[in-house]
Amino acid sequence: MVQTGVQLLTGFLLILPFQNKFAELPAYDKVIYMVAVLASVTATILLTSPVGMHRMLFRRRALADLVSAAHRAAMAGLILLGVTLTCVVVLITDVVVGPEAAVTAGVAAVATFFGVWVMYPLLLRRRIASSP
């Protein structure tokens, strides 16, 4: 599910510079856009890499290595997806509302990602570890 979503997001980001209004964006918005594109492309590569790894390692008795590598790629891909989505939120908020609101939205996005993707799973892990 994440693979498809990040691929679609990357596709939408890649067509944005070809829109008429893109040239009118201030330089800092173009920097935010480039960070979003690079993070999104890298996230796409990382989140789809287990498929290629599986094909290359098929029937080589490397399941443990494949699972470990896929886990690391997925974790890095999710971090970069969070960076991408934060940049998109900041860029859109800046264009629609303004820079002050964009900073607030960016901080809120980072806090939400950190809370939902890091803190909540760590709390669940602690609860599971302490249960009989």
Side-chain angles (χ1 to χ4, degrees), residues 11-86:
F12 285 125
L13 285 171
L14 291 175
I15 64 169
L16 189 60
F18 301 101
Q19 305 304 309
N20 293 333
K21 297 280 186 177
F22 186 82
E24 298 172 17
L25 289 177
Y28 66 88
D29 276 345
K30 290 178 182 175
V31 169
I32 294 168
Y33 167 78
M34 284 308 303
V35 171
V37 167
L38 294 173
S40 186
V41 168
T42 307
T44 300
I45 291 167
L46 288 167
L47 291 169
T48 59
S49 67
V51 176
M53 285 187 273
H54 181 265
R55 291 291 96 212
M56 297 295 292
L57 298 173
F58 188 67
R59 296 191 189 263
R60 304 267 182 190
R61 301 188 191 283
L63 183 61
D65 291 329
L66 177 61
V67 169
S68 179
H71 169 73
R72 287 191 305 274
M75 294 302 288
L78 285 173
I79 290 167
L80 288 169
L81 177 58
V83 169
T84 302
L85 292 173
T86 299

Side-chain angles (χ1 to χ4, degrees), residues 57-132:
L57 298 173
F58 188 67
R59 296 191 189 263
R60 304 267 182 190
R61 301 188 191 283
L63 183 61
D65 291 329
L66 177 61
V67 169
S68 179
H71 169 73
R72 287 191 305 274
M75 294 302 288
L78 285 173
I79 290 167
L80 288 169
L81 177 58
V83 169
T84 302
L85 292 173
T86 299
C87 287
V88 168
V89 165
V90 169
L91 183 61
I92 291 171
T93 305
D94 184 46
V95 169
V96 174
V97 183
E100 295 82 13
V103 170
T104 302
V107 169
V110 168
T112 302
F113 289 129
F114 187 73
V116 174
W117 287 0
V118 177
M119 295 307 296
Y120 183 64
L122 288 176
L123 289 171
L124 288 177
R125 181 190 280 185
R126 181 181 292 174
R127 186 167 28 137
I128 292 168
S130 66
S131 66

